Amino acid sequence: MSGIFGIVAKSNCSHDLFYGTDYHSHLGTEFAGLVTWDGAEFNRKIHDIRGSQFKAKFYEDYKNLKGSSGLGVISAKEEQPILVHSKFGPFAIVTNGFVDNARQLAAQLYKEGQSFSEVTDGTVNLTELVAKLIIQGENIIDGIERMFSKIKGSCSLLLLNKEGIYAARDRYGYSPLAVGERGREWAVATETTAFSNLGFKIKKFVSSGEIILISENGLKPKHKGTGVNQICSFLWIYTGFPASSYEGIPVEVVRERCGKFLAKNDNVKADMVGGIPDSGTTHAIGYAMESGVPFRRPLVKYTPGFDRSYTPPSQETRDLIAKMKLIPIPEIIQGKRIVVCDDSIVRGTQLKNFTISKLVEGGVKEIHLRIACPPLMFPCKFNYSTRSIHELAARRAIKAIEGKDLGDVSAYLDEGSQKHKKMVEWITKELRVASLKYLKLDDMVKAIGLSKDDVCQYCWNGREP
Ligand code: SF4
């Protein structure tokens, strides 16, 4: 996914815009951008951040940005912010989401005589597409509403113009958006992590489909929410930053609760429990709290300069990061029976080749792998996903068991079924660990603490709202 940040301040906002955007750096690895409005024009900077981090690329730029309001984005895929001169006047826009029917929508717009300026390898920039759909409306609110009704997928956005920032959350709420308050100044962000060190306090969580205008006069509701909530569960399990909370539910606490549920359903004898950094660490802390097994660190992560191995689109880069960033501590693990907690198993190849193998080489006696969500069965279609269905470890297991790819995998979703058990056994052998257990879907939802109708679980059960 991407991370978006906006600020409406009383004086120059560039310092807070820079740091507020930087607090979203864990969400994307491709492009980043900043834009400010100085009362007369926009000042915009965009950089490719594939080879270096946001801070390094923007450190000199941000000091030259002028204006008291601005937007920032760390983008998973495309160049943003987009600037548009429209019948509603000029505006800048950043988005977080994925438009599954982008090709069809772009074809329709071409037919209507529209043109696109940001096209890469024949593919339109999704943020530009969203902007083009918005300007088809009677006004900005109507335009956002119309855009929401046309896209398949999800889209949360921030739109900056001379009035302030229009903040709109996806109508199913797949991605979060929260507003922070600092006196009479405002920030809006994907990650509430961005608020505390800049002095903002959470004012509200924007509801699914809700649109608000944030200006120097405060918050003005512009459109009511849909009442539907399908916020991404994976934010709490893996993608979100530990200091963030979504819908008022803190990530770190949910991860501890996942670890506790894992421990409650376990009776393995172990000398220690550790996690695969970063998110697996908190799942392991929860496991240790519940079981009394000592928490120790079998592997540590060398953080400076490394992205998350999940986010870069190229497999080669993901593998390189996975290989280099984790370092085992043989003195801790030698001869030990270890419970190892991780957030999820996607393909399983990095886990096997770059994590488990390091523990084995370090002399570990037994590895008992505990995963803080059920087997991933369906690639996300509401945000950018780096996985294809055939790559998923669970799907490879099913293919190996059945001798072919299955269209209908419902028999494998039932956690009490023999088929499910066989699938987990296959993955256990593939990973070469002594035992493997996944968190049950109901326990994962309980750990989050929302009703099961109010969180997206598509990754695991393939059900859409
Ligand atoms: S499909 Fe998975 S990753 Fe995508 S929004 Fe739903 S829970 Fe999140």
Side-chain angles (χ1 to χ4, degrees), residues 262-281:
L262 281 168
K264 271 187 191 144
N265 295 321
D266 210 357
N267 54 6
V268 73
K269 295 271 172 287
D271 303 305
M272 56 184 272
V273 52
I276 312 289
D278 292 317
S279 36
T281 302

Side-chain angles (χ1 to χ4, degrees), residues 362-383:
V364 69
K365 188 173 169 201
E366 288 169 14
I367 299 171
H368 301 277
L369 194 57
R370 300 296 178 259
I371 304 297
C373 68
L376 291 165
M377 289 281 190
F378 303 90
C380 178
K381 51 182 193 179
F382 313 108
N383 229 310

